[in-house]
Amino acid sequence: HIHNFAIVPTLDLDLQPGFTAITGETGAGKSILVDALGLLIGDRADAASVRSGAERAELSAEFSVENNKEAREWLEEFDLSSDACCLLRRTININGRSRAYINGSPVTLAQMQSVGQLLVEIHGQNEHLKLTRTAEQFRLLDGSGDYSSEITLLESAFTDWQRIAFELESLEKDVSVSASDLEFLNYQLAEFQQYDLSVDAIAALQTEHDRLAAGGSLLEALTRGIELLEPDSSVGLAGINSNLNTTLDHLQEFTGLDADIKNACDMLHEASINCIEAITALRTARDRVDLNPDRFEKVSKTLSQLHDLARKHQVRMEELEVVMQTLAARIDNASSSKQYRNRLEEELQDSLDNYRTAAKKLHVKRKQHAADLSKRVTTLMGELGMAGGTFELVVSLDPHAGPTRRGDDDVQIRISANPGLPPGPLNKIASGGELSRISLAIKVAASRGDESITQIFDEVDAGIGGETANAVGKLMKRLSADGQALCVTHLAQVAVCATHQLQVRKANLKESTLVDTRLLDETSRADEVARMLSGKISKQSRAHALELLKNGAMVS
């Protein structure tokens, strides 16, 4: 669905499986459809995308992912799955800002690009430039090969090697301690170890200091409290407890006469018991009072030293034990790191050996597949008017290369578009038209016959004609046999090989330009092919068109 995009006010397309040719006059707006799909799979947008006079453009496309395992897994991973469909939607405002949605949920442009490349491949006239990238060459080779188990084995071996290498690197950073540093750390630890730094011990020391500091004042208060509570006959003091008991004796016989008297007597009795217990506690506390000035000085000195140690390490006194434990652990790690390092180095070598073994196995598979793929592409090049040309996918092994997730292989594409010429770099040997055909040959040769993504070809057949154009059409039909391919083309020979043909038309109105499409039936398709052949519809061009359509229908 396209709304207010470029010169399109509103357009809805229902694209069928198989090969669909998109045709129309030059400038009719065929590439607008490709541009719209490009934006739906993450291309950059700007304000120029919005139709003149509109506030925003809106694009959406629904893809079946029933047979696309990778796309389904991606959608599930990001909690965006919706049955067997993937609905991409994008809006572009007049200020150039855009928003992206997958199955109704807002997503980032990067997410739209990630899922887009699992749904659509757009092949333009410069498609061959992608093949100069190493990542694309490996994708071409491994994506069409039948050695997934060897790839999985290599990736697992690389992951093990990478994990151990990282652990060894981290060890070097974390426990790398010089002899002088180790000596200083041991000196610091000795400072801590001369004290009991547990939280309880520090709290007890602080309490003892406070009690010693109180000294005589505390002893006087305890003695006075005992005197007030306890009777002393020698000086004629009755004491609070004695007075409580005397009062209780006077009232006890009247408890049955008044409930309040009874309650009062109960409270006095309880108070008397509490007084006796209080006297005992105060005596015990008085016996513990230490007026030893030497002990007070020692405790004060220890606390002062602990305060200095805490200030030195910029922590609270209660956190000193944690600092000591950290120091001890670092010293222990530094002391034992040599053995640990030796063990990691042995494990790293073992994992590297496993990686090299897996890389060699994968190399053998890749080299075999590259040779087969090269033969198939070379054969197809002959069908596309480059008989005598050669295609070489060269796989070489570098056993001294640093481990990578791709293995130890180096991949290069070398071609010769004409007989008698030695193969050379892809982008220096062939013309633009030849490169487009070579790219198509590679795509067909690398196809596994179960394509689950939509292939879009945007005028990749430019600059060819005759039998070569027939061959291009046949190859595109073969490529889309079990999937879906769309091709924007000006060539009748390509269009007649399509399963369906979509015509794009442009209407120039007084104040605007509109683009429309229609799926052609047999009659209108013959007219369109006749126009493509001669620029106009005549009896002769229509007869030629019918003949081409008949031959195209027999292509398999």
Side-chain angles (χ1 to χ4, degrees):
H1 172 73
I2 300 175
H3 183 64
N4 286 334
F5 174 68
I7 58 174
V8 181
T10 298
L11 185 63
D12 290 288
L13 292 176
D14 186 10
L15 300 165
Q16 303 300 313
F19 177 22
T20 298
I22 301 174
T23 62
E25 297 277 4
T26 299
K30 298 183 293 298
S31 292
I32 289 176
L33 306 182
V34 180
D35 294 340
L37 273 172
L39 287 170
L40 282 170
I41 60 173
D43 286 355
R44 292 289 174 183
D46 56 41
S49 301
V50 182
R51 183 168 175 261
S52 178
E55 290 297 320
R56 71 173 188 175
E58 184 171 330
L59 310 168
S60 63
E62 185 178 51
F63 296 84
S64 169
V65 293
E66 185 175 357
N67 299 319
N68 193 329
K69 182 182 177 183
E70 286 185 288
R72 289 201 313 274
E73 289 177 347
W74 189 96
L75 291 169
E76 290 171 2
E77 179 183 351
F78 289 94
D79 197 24
L80 294 169
S81 59
S82 178
D83 297 326
C85 292
C86 177
L87 177 64
L88 303 183
R89 177 171 168 262
R90 194 165 179 191
T91 61
I92 305 159
N93 292 331
I94 192 65
N95 60 9
R97 293 182 179 178
S98 70
R99 292 183 178 180
Y101 304 86
I102 298 177
N103 285 331
S105 298
V107 295
T108 64
L109 190 59
Q111 286 177 306
M112 180 164 269
Q113 290 170 340
S114 294
V115 75
Q117 67 184 3
L118 302 176
L119 300 170
V120 179
E121 278 189 5
I122 297 180
H123 310 277
Q125 294 184 52
N126 296 319
E127 174 68 13
H128 59 279
L129 295 178
K130 289 171 57 179
L131 292 172
T132 62
R133 304 171 192 160
T134 300
E136 185 66 19
Q137 292 168 357
F138 274 101
R139 192 185 73 82
L140 163 67
L141 180 64
D142 293 341
S144 59
D146 188 20
Y147 43 85
S148 58
S149 59
E150 282 79 7
I151 293 176
T152 301
L153 186 65
L154 173 88
E155 290 177 344
S156 176
F158 172 75
T159 300
D160 287 342
W161 175 87
Q162 188 180 47
R163 174 184 55 80
I164 298 170
F166 179 76
E167 195 172 345
L168 186 59
E169 182 182 357
S170 298
L171 176 69
E172 295 291 349
K173 290 179 180 178
D174 294 342
V175 302
S176 181
V177 179
S178 66
S180 59
D181 287 341
L182 187 60
E183 182 179 355
F184 178 66
L185 290 175
N186 278 307
Y187 166 76
Q188 285 186 312
L189 182 62
E191 280 188 308
F192 283 91
Q193 289 175 332
Q194 60 184 314
Y195 306 106
D196 184 349
L197 297 177
S198 66
V199 175
D200 291 342
I202 290 176
L205 192 67
Q206 186 67 59
T207 301
E208 183 182 6
H209 173 270
D210 294 343
R211 191 166 56 242
L212 287 168
S217 300
L218 177 59
L219 181 63
E220 181 180 350
L222 291 171
T223 302
R224 179 60 178 158
I226 293 170
E227 289 175 350
L228 290 173
L229 294 173
E230 187 177 38
D232 188 347
S233 56
S234 62
V235 293
L237 290 175
I240 292 173
N241 190 46
S242 177
N243 289 334
L244 286 172
N245 288 326
T246 300
T247 305
L248 187 61
D249 289 341
H250 288 138
L251 296 172
Q252 193 70 41
E253 61 179 303
F254 304 109
T255 56
L257 301 178
D258 192 304
D260 287 335
I261 295 175
K262 182 179 185 306
N263 290 336
C265 287
D266 290 341
M267 288 185 282
L268 288 170
H269 180 67
E270 184 176 352
S272 175
I273 294 173
N274 288 336
C275 276
I276 293 171
E277 291 180 353
I279 292 168
T280 302
L282 290 174
R283 284 174 175 169
T284 303
R286 185 179 61 180
D287 293 341
R288 281 202 306 268
V289 172
D290 189 353
L291 298 179
N292 185 343
D294 293 336
R295 177 60 184 168
F296 177 65
E297 183 180 354
K298 183 178 181 181
V299 171
S300 298
K301 183 179 179 181
T302 301
L303 276 176
S304 177
Q305 290 169 338
L306 290 177
H307 277 295
D308 291 342
L309 195 59
R311 188 165 50 252
K312 177 180 177 181
H313 291 273
Q314 298 181 339
V315 296
R316 293 184 297 112
M317 205 158 51
E318 294 78 6
E319 296 171 338
L320 286 172
E321 186 178 26
V322 175
V323 177
M324 180 181 69
Q325 291 170 348
T326 303
L327 269 174
R330 189 176 178 193
I331 292 170
D332 184 56
N333 286 340
S335 302
S336 61
S337 64
K338 187 174 182 180
Q339 286 184 331
Y340 185 38
R341 185 184 297 108
N342 290 340
R343 181 167 65 82
L344 282 180
E345 287 173 348
E346 290 177 4
E347 290 181 5
L348 187 66
Q349 185 59 51
D350 289 342
S351 67
L352 181 60
D353 293 341
N354 291 336
Y355 166 83
R356 297 293 185 202
T357 300
K360 287 179 182 177
K361 289 181 180 179
L362 179 57
H363 170 73
V364 172
K365 291 288 186 178
R366 277 175 170 164
K367 197 160 187 175
Q368 291 173 347
H369 177 55
D372 293 339
L373 189 60
S374 297
K375 290 178 182 177
R376 294 202 297 270
V377 174
T378 299
T379 300
L380 290 171
M381 285 171 62
E383 295 180 24
L384 292 170
M386 289 177 282
T390 57
F391 175 89
E392 293 181 359
L393 189 57
V394 183
V395 180
S396 56
L397 180 69
D398 181 3
H400 303 295
T404 69
R405 195 170 293 279
R406 285 198 299 244
D408 293 336
D409 289 323
D410 180 46
V411 178
Q412 287 185 336
I413 292 179
R414 302 177 68 81
I415 63 167
S416 171
N418 300 290
L421 295 178
L426 180 70
N427 58 344
K428 294 183 179 180
I429 297 298
S431 65
E434 288 170 333
L435 288 169
S436 293
R437 282 178 279 159
I438 292 169
S439 296
L440 178 60
I442 292 171
K443 183 64 190 175
V444 174
S447 173
R448 298 173 63 91
D450 57 349
E451 295 294 332
S452 57
I453 64 177
T454 297
Q455 306 287 331
I456 312 290
F457 296 92
D458 187 12
E459 298 189 23
V460 296
D461 51 11
I464 63 172
E467 284 303 314
T468 302
N470 291 332
V472 169
K474 291 175 182 178
L475 286 182
M476 286 192 179
K477 190 166 186 178
R478 188 194 309 178
L479 181 64
S480 63
D482 297 314
Q484 184 181 54
L486 312 178
C487 178
V488 176
T489 182
H490 288 283
L491 294 178
Q493 295 95 323
V494 173
V496 296
C497 293
T499 317
H500 316 281
Q501 188 165 345
L502 194 70
Q503 184 187 41
V504 180
R505 299 175 297 181
K506 182 167 68 174
N508 294 314
L509 305 180
K510 288 183 178 181
E511 297 181 357
S512 63
T513 302
L514 304 181
V515 172
D516 190 19
T517 65
R518 63 170 179 156
L519 186 64
L520 302 179
D521 57 21
E522 291 183 12
T523 301
S524 55
R525 188 174 182 187
D527 291 340
E528 173 67 0
V529 173
R531 181 201 61 76
M532 296 173 73
L533 286 168
S534 63
K536 61 181 180 179
I537 302 173
S538 64
K539 185 176 180 180
Q540 291 80 6
S541 64
R542 202 170 191 282
H544 190 191
L546 288 170
E547 183 183 357
L548 288 177
L549 285 166
K550 181 180 179 182
N551 294 333
M554 293 188 293
V555 173
S556 60

